[in-house]
Amino acid sequence: MKRQIIDRIVGRLTFIPAFAASLLLIVMTGVLCIRSQEILLNQSLPTLLFSSVWQPMAGKFGFLPFIAGTVWVTFVAMALSIPISLFSAIYLSQYAHRRIKATVQPLIDLLAGIPSIVFGLFGVLLLVPLVKDLIAPAFHISTSGYCVLTGGLVLAIMVVPLITSIAFEVLTAVPEDMRIASLAMGANRWETVKYVVFRKAFPGIVAAVVLGFSRAFGETMAVLMVVGNVAKIPSSLFDPAYPIPALIANNYGEMMSIPLYDSALMFAALLLLVVVVIFNIIANIVLIRVKRGIS
Amino acid sequence: MVDWRKTEEQLFKGLMIASLLIVLGSLAAVFIVVVIRGAPALSLAMITQTPQGGYYLGKGGGILNAIAGSLYLAAGAIALAFLISLPIAWYLNQYAGRSKIAAFVRISLDVASGIPSLIYGAFVFIIMIGLHERVSLFWGIITVALFITPLLTRGLDEVMQTVSPKLKEASFMMGATRFETLWHVVLRQSLPGIVTAFLLALGRGIGDAASVLFTAGYTDQIPTSLGDAVATLPLAIFFQLGSPVPEVQARAYASGIILLAIVLALSLCSRILSQRFKKYVIK
Amino acid sequence: MAGKPITISHLNVRIGDRNILKDISVSIPPNKITAIIGPSGCGKSTMLKCMNRMIDLVEEIDIEGDVHIDGENIYGSGIDVSLLRKKVGMIAQTPNPLPMSIYDNIAYGPRIHGQRKRTDLDEIVERCLNTVGLWSEVKERLEDPAAKLSIGQQQRLCLARALAVQPEVLLCDEVTSSLDPVSAKHIETELSSLKNDYTIVFVTHILRQAKRLADYVIFLYLGELVEYGPANEVFFHPKDPRTAAYIEGVFG
């Protein structure tokens, strides 16, 4: 009897943290909304999003330079990381020998586990001088090295392991039967990937890319350290940029002393949260479907 | 025709191998660059002393404050996160089965684990302002716990899901209740995976800087109570790197080695421990 | 169109340290149906996979010996596996349609091997679907996903897909085992009508099926070739006591 009671109590009690955890997202969004209210009442949403005048002292908060900075850096990162991740995932899932897989996978996990501050440090030590002294001069451009391209490079290294491991999982989940059908028809492995495996895995691959994208979108420290942080819309890869997360992280100290500034920064955080949440919901639903469809 | 098909496959295979080499090369480059640039400033004092007077001008001392701070913070956060995560993972696996509620909780957690740590920091910061609280170890722990909990919960959940239903049935057949099955069978069977998920979350906690930027503060002392401000290793790197003094910058690089060493140690621990615990596992 | 003979000599297959096939030597005649029978785990499927080198996909595999198809050693150097598999078609145990339309499933092989003209492909699709008796059932919905067909129809589609690249040999791995009796009957009928044009090797654990279809029978037991000969002889006058025991249902 006592055992049954324990069982019931545990059943009821564990529901509480589960429920609370699933509410966390809503609570966070709610709190950030409340804190953003002040700035939203003061300035119209279009002005906040599309004005490029950033003068907190004068009460002018145009987020366009920061939005542009985020978008630039994220796109550079994605352009670099998508092909590299997908090619790696295809190789590991379709070509690599068991022993190679067993060696490489922990290394990719290790790369994923390196703290972002270390990537930032790596960026400052190697990539900034590389861009400044080697890449930019090749295009006859002079730059400090703290620019969009460097930020994108650092971010690319950071999201590659994420996209690679999700894409690997998705590609591995394609039924072996289908690969065999294609190979038995005389298709080579690449043709099998191109016409069969990739087609079957496509939704999952998209989800992997979207998750990588939203990871890049919100990454703070590493980008902040190498991207220059100038509140101006970048016009080339070699211009500095000032992504939203960097803006928030850099100004938390003085934001309480300027009117509306804290509310503006919380609005920026809300913006970031909303984009990331939407992307994540879509990607995760797709991934669940993909996994269910296969099993 | 045949030739072209082969050429195409060779071409793409080449691209794949090149991509993989770039990934592995990046990993190697991160380690090599940080180690080479950091090694000259690395000394015993770095890890055994707190900053002495004039440390930030290049004089003596170390970053024991940050190392200890990070360990306190991560230990507190992982303990808290584990206490929250385990019941949720149990709930998801035993009591809610494949229900709609479980699906909702899972997707909420998946989405939550994709949110940038900076946002968690901002969120806790707002609450701290509301409560008129100052930066401290306590709030740092809350922040880090909050952002590793979704990650840890889903990790535990995934691991427990892999326990075969047959094994659970075997326990039910003996008359065990769901909780007893969980406690004696599922937990033991999934122990290697739990260790991996635990250490992964711990690593995230130790390595994160953006979340504690607002909430934990920074100090040259080792905290003696939960109410004290606390330094962390990632922030120590960040602040030292921002210094104009070359000696201090060099110490930032050396601090990078220390952080990398911790991450590497956790990764190795996770492999070794999960191997060791595998002996109880029924395949 | 004519089938081609297959000659296997001293074929040994090991996976890790397990000996799956032991010194198999046999000549499979063209334009006949040859059945490989034996208890499960005796190496039937492995032997089949050796004939179009799908066995290459198994890791840690070690193959010795030769397999000649139409006089050419398929394990020789300079063999294009892709072309080999075009010549030697295979149908799997469970239907494995590709994730595309019915039409594209059939056109997959011809396209891979360089057939691009739409009118030619149309003609191939119709002919192959006709051969397996599926044309009238699906001609209105060729663009539907193949997965929408019933399991029985899917298996016939897989047979049609294998025929689309005009192979000389057809390898069938227990192709009726996942089907209902009616669909199984369909497939059996189609296979016996196809033997004029192809060399057919099929694996089965159903003795009655082997009796119905096979011209020749290979009996494998624990990786050894125990007996080989015309179906009537193997079934009614087995030389080896193990064959006799198997046929009488003592084991397996």
Side-chain angles (χ1 to χ4, degrees), chain A residues 4 9 17 27 54 57 139 147 152 171 174 180 190 204 256 275 284:
Chain A
Q4 303 300 330
I9 292 173
V27 173
W54 180 258
M57 300 299 255
F139 295 93
C147 62
L171 288 168
V174 171
I180 285 179
W190 170 244
M256 302 308 290
V275 172
N284 281 304

Side-chain angles (χ1 to χ4, degrees), chain C residues 144-155:
Chain C
D144 276 11
K148 277 198 176 168
L149 297 173
S150 73
I151 297 290
Q153 288 173 321
Q154 285 184 17
Q155 191 63 304

Side-chain angles (χ1 to χ4, degrees), chain B residues 49-127:
Chain B
Q49 291 176 22
T50 54
Q52 309 293 306
Y55 176 82
Y56 296 103
L57 297 168
K59 297 225 178 84
I63 52 155
L64 184 62
N65 60 326
I67 297 173
S70 269
L71 293 180
Y72 287 174
L73 192 66
I78 193 78
L80 189 57
F82 198 67
L83 279 179
I84 306 170
S85 299
L86 202 57
I88 304 179
W90 284 353
Y91 174 78
L92 287 176
N93 278 280
Q94 291 297 110
Y95 300 102
R98 299 194 171 275
S99 71
K100 285 225 166 82
I101 303 177
F104 175 72
V105 174
R106 282 200 176 105
I107 201 153
S108 302
L109 291 170
D110 278 340
V111 173
S113 50
I115 294 175
S117 60
L118 177 76
I119 306 278
Y120 284 94
F123 170 67
V124 174
F125 182 63
I126 294 173
I127 293 176

Side-chain angles (χ1 to χ4, degrees), chain C:
Chain C
M1 216 169 10
K4 294 288 188 290
I6 304 167
T7 314
I8 297 174
S9 41
H10 304 292
L11 182 68
N12 274 289
V13 176
R14 267 185 299 276
I15 299 178
D17 47 8
R18 269 185 342 123
N19 223 343
I20 308 285
L21 290 177
K22 298 167 196 161
D23 200 32
I24 308 274
S25 295
V26 67
S27 286
I28 295 171
N31 295 89
K32 296 282 183 228
I33 297 187
T34 304
I36 306 177
I37 60 171
S40 52
C42 65
K44 298 185 299 254
S45 292
T46 306
M47 185 168 160
L48 204 63
K49 283 186 199 153
C50 286
M51 297 183 214
N52 69 344
R53 289 189 55 177
M54 285 301 278
I55 196 78
D56 293 10
L57 298 186
V58 182
E59 281 184 353
E60 312 279 313
I61 193 114
D62 186 20
I63 302 163
E64 279 165 29
D66 292 335
V67 176
H68 288 264
I69 293 181
D70 196 19
E72 188 179 29
N73 182 8
I74 66 169
Y75 288 92
S77 60
I79 276 287
D80 185 335
V81 177
S82 170
L83 291 182
L84 166 70
R85 290 179 188 158
K86 177 178 177 293
K87 272 202 304 199
V88 185
M90 186 175 220
I91 300 121
Q93 190 167 358
T94 40
N96 52 1
L98 294 166
M100 43 188 85
S101 69
I102 295 171
Y103 184 98
D104 288 338
N105 257 276
I106 310 283
Y108 186 77
R111 276 184 181 139
I112 290 281
H113 296 285
Q115 187 77 262
R116 297 275 163 190
K117 243 170 79 185
R118 185 76 191 190
T119 46
D120 292 349
L121 290 173
D122 286 347
E123 190 270 320
I124 292 172
V125 169
E126 182 173 349
R127 178 168 48 75
C128 292
L129 285 172
N130 256 323
T131 315
V132 299
L134 208 54
W135 176 250
S136 57
E137 288 166 55
V138 304
K139 65 178 175 194
E140 303 298 330
R141 47 186 184 125
L142 289 173
E143 291 309 316
D144 276 11
K148 277 198 176 168
L149 297 173
S150 73
I151 297 290
Q153 288 173 321
Q154 285 184 17
Q155 191 63 304
R156 279 146 75 201
L157 179 76
C158 291
L159 179 55
R161 185 178 64 199
L163 297 179
V165 287
Q166 298 181 305
E168 290 151 0
V169 176
L170 279 181
L171 307 174
C172 309
D173 190 359
E174 306 210 21
V175 285
T176 61
S177 66
S178 59
L179 305 185
D180 60 279
V182 179
S183 309
K185 189 75 209 151
H186 259 294
I187 296 272
E188 278 189 21
T189 319
E190 281 140 19
L191 284 181
S192 18
S193 69
L194 286 170
K195 71 173 172 185
N196 296 326
D197 298 323
Y198 307 94
T199 303
I200 298 178
V201 184
F202 82 97
V203 162
T204 183
H205 64 274
I206 310 169
L207 279 175
R208 271 171 300 152
Q209 188 178 45
K211 277 181 195 163
R212 278 196 298 272
L213 289 178
D215 302 309
Y216 289 84
V217 171
I218 294 170
F219 174 59
L220 287 187
Y221 183 66
L222 298 177
E224 259 178 74
L225 189 149
V226 174
E227 193 152 351
Y228 169 60
N232 284 333
E233 281 186 28
V234 175
F235 281 124
F236 301 108
H237 310 285
K239 293 188 192 77
D240 193 288
R242 287 172 294 181
T243 319
Y246 180 69
I247 286 166
E248 281 160 24
V250 176
F251 58 85

Side-chain angles (χ1 to χ4, degrees), chain A residues 3 7 190-191 194 252, chain B residues 5 8-9 179-180 214:
Chain A
R3 293 166 51 216
D7 192 51
W190 170 244
E191 286 161 339
K194 195 165 58 160
Y252 79 102
Chain B
R5 288 176 57 197
E8 186 186 327
E9 175 166 43
F179 177 67
E180 288 161 347
F214 302 134

Side-chain angles (χ1 to χ4, degrees), chain B residues 69 71-77 79-80 128 133-142 215-217 219 222-231:
Chain B
L71 293 180
Y72 287 174
L73 192 66
L80 189 57
M128 285 165 60
E133 284 283 336
R134 283 185 310 117
V135 289
S136 67
L137 176 58
F138 174 78
W139 287 106
I141 287 176
I142 297 285
T215 55
T219 168
I222 295 172
T224 52
S225 81
L226 281 174
D228 289 350
V230 58

